[in-house]
Amino acid sequence: MARLSLILLAAILAAGCGYFETDEPHLTPRTPLLPPTTEDLGAPLALTPTSAPPPTAADAQGADEADAPPAQPAEGEAPVDDESPGGAVPGGAVPDEEVPGGAVPDEEVPGGGGSQGDTAAGAGGEAQRLAINVVGELNHSPTAFTQGLEISDGRLYESTGAPGDRNSSIRELDRATGEIVNIRTFTEDLFGEGLTFVDGRIYQLTWQAGVALVWDPEDLSEQDRFEYEGQGWGLCFNGRVLVMSDGSAELHFRDPLSFERVGNPVVVTFNGEELPSLNELECVGEAVWANVWRTDLVVQIDTATGVVQAVADASELGLPRSGDPNAVLNGIAWDPETETFLITGKDWPTIYEVTFEPH
């Protein structure tokens, strides 16, 4: 496992660091709270899952939204995104043997007993390995550069970015088929990122614009905006606080009412080493499931400690793929009604309905 850890971290560092602007400092936390409490925020109590909590292992998977595109292009000029096809991709494709996007040998990853609801790490404190069991498939637009998936009240929503000559969008998909039910594209210079639901409204991040958009889920009309500093990658809401990623190894907490930062960020570690390039997020109970940019991994994170408790490899899904190194897994949504996850990737033609099982 130690060998796998080193390979995983080296690959993620090599792939992710080229996209994250290291000269852009992170903000200093405003309070020493970690995590913020209900009393501090005046927010509702943590949501009580309507069903058993999801599998505890998350696959560290393809990181999110191009938090990589360089500076926004001039008007009339095609945007260039490190995630975008044809965009500047430092280092190019990462060889399978260096990236955990390829199949991970069983002998290098600790197994672990337990059921889908377990959240404890595997033996010796190492992350438990989960297998992905596909139970269904939905259609997915092969030109949707997925930045986030979310299910609310049985309805499925997706956020897409804008590589090349495409526009970013917020769209509702048919939960049964994956077909587009409604879509709103951005006409302004914004690159869509992760999304989540708060009090019946959709919150959607943008990559470098420092703006979070608030949408009405019924007609996808814009209702409000929040401003923030730094990059926006993934976002989820645990019923108490918003959890946000910015392409680093940190998860940040935000007040769902003001979008202000609260508490200290949590540094995410995988088998004792920091795990950068955290991308799309999904809150399930007190755990966060995250994609890892430029990989096909999904990881499950304990938000109190930042420790990765489980990991799954989705490299056998979404095949065959284009030669674009950005067409990796990204997008994960928990459906409490079916107790399954929906996962997909950037420009993949399929959304997979899956469960995570002990390997």
Side-chain angles (χ1 to χ4, degrees):
M1 187 63 202
R3 179 164 167 257
L4 173 62
S5 260
L6 293 175
I7 294 174
L8 170 64
L9 292 170
I12 292 173
L13 284 169
C17 290
Y19 302 102
F20 185 71
E21 298 183 16
T22 54
D23 59 346
E24 181 176 305
H26 295 284
L27 297 181
T28 301
R30 301 189 178 205
T31 76
L33 304 175
L34 176 60
T37 65
T38 299
E39 291 72 21
D40 294 315
L41 295 181
L45 294 174
L47 296 179
T48 300
T50 56
S51 60
T56 146
D59 258 331
Q61 122 107 13
D64 158 92
E65 9 243 282
D67 278 61
Q72 297 288 347
E75 185 175 356
E77 184 178 304
V80 178
D81 179 5
D82 39 40
E83 289 191 348
S84 69
V89 181
V94 183
D96 291 344
E97 62 271 17
E98 296 180 4
V99 142
V104 183
D106 293 346
E107 62 272 16
E108 295 186 1
V109 188
S115 64
Q116 272 245 42
D118 291 337
T119 54
E126 295 180 328
Q128 180 187 30
R129 185 183 183 188
L130 299 180
I132 299 177
N133 176 39
V134 177
V135 298
E137 296 185 3
L138 290 70
N139 292 325
H140 184 242
S141 170
T143 59
F145 201 68
T146 306
Q147 302 291 61
L149 284 180
E150 187 76 9
I151 294 174
S152 178
D153 293 330
R155 299 168 68 176
L156 174 62
Y157 294 83
E158 179 180 30
S159 169
T160 71
D165 58 356
R166 288 179 261 178
N167 290 324
S168 291
S169 74
I170 178 72
R171 55 185 74 183
E172 181 180 357
L173 308 179
D174 187 302
R175 170 63 182 85
T177 67
E179 299 294 342
I180 297 174
V181 174
N182 195 7
I183 184 171
R184 179 65 61 99
T185 58
F186 307 166
T187 56
E188 50 191 304
D189 194 16
L190 296 175
F191 194 103
E193 287 289 341
L195 79 164
T196 194
F197 267 78
V198 177
D199 194 23
R201 301 195 300 175
I202 303 171
Y203 284 28
Q204 181 184 29
L205 297 177
T206 57
W207 178 45
Q208 290 182 317
V211 173
L213 306 171
V214 181
W215 306 96
D216 182 331
E218 296 301 324
D219 59 6
L220 300 185
S221 60
E222 185 177 337
Q223 301 295 302
D224 202 353
R225 292 189 174 198
F226 295 108
E227 294 184 356
Y228 58 88
E229 296 184 54
Q231 298 189 7
W233 287 42
L235 187 69
C236 68
F237 181 52
N238 66 8
R240 185 174 64 253
V241 293
L242 290 163
V243 184
M244 179 174 167
S245 63
D246 60 6
S248 69
E250 295 180 338
L251 293 178
H252 299 267
F253 302 100
R254 290 185 178 274
D255 184 327
L257 303 179
S258 67
F259 215 76
E260 293 292 322
R261 280 193 181 178
V262 291
N264 291 330
V266 171
V267 176
V268 175
T269 59
F270 178 78
N271 293 340
E273 300 290 339
E274 290 189 13
L275 182 65
S277 299
L278 298 172
N279 203 356
E280 222 270 281
L281 306 178
E282 180 74 357
C283 290
V284 184
E286 293 303 311
V288 168
W289 297 71
N291 293 158
V292 182
W293 174 230
R294 294 296 299 277
T295 79
D296 285 322
L297 300 178
V298 173
V299 293
Q300 185 192 27
I301 303 164
D302 180 337
T303 50
T305 64
V307 172
V308 170
Q309 297 181 314
V311 58
D313 177 6
S315 59
E316 294 184 0
L317 300 181
L319 303 176
R321 303 183 195 175
S322 68
D324 178 17
N326 301 299
V328 295
L329 179 71
N330 200 55
I332 179 169
W334 168 246
D335 189 338
E337 294 183 7
T338 60
E339 299 186 5
T340 58
F341 284 96
L342 295 184
I343 61 175
T344 191
K346 298 175 185 296
D347 297 337
W348 287 17
T350 306
I351 295 174
Y352 298 91
E353 184 168 5
V354 306
T355 59
F356 294 107
E357 310 288 349
H359 197 280

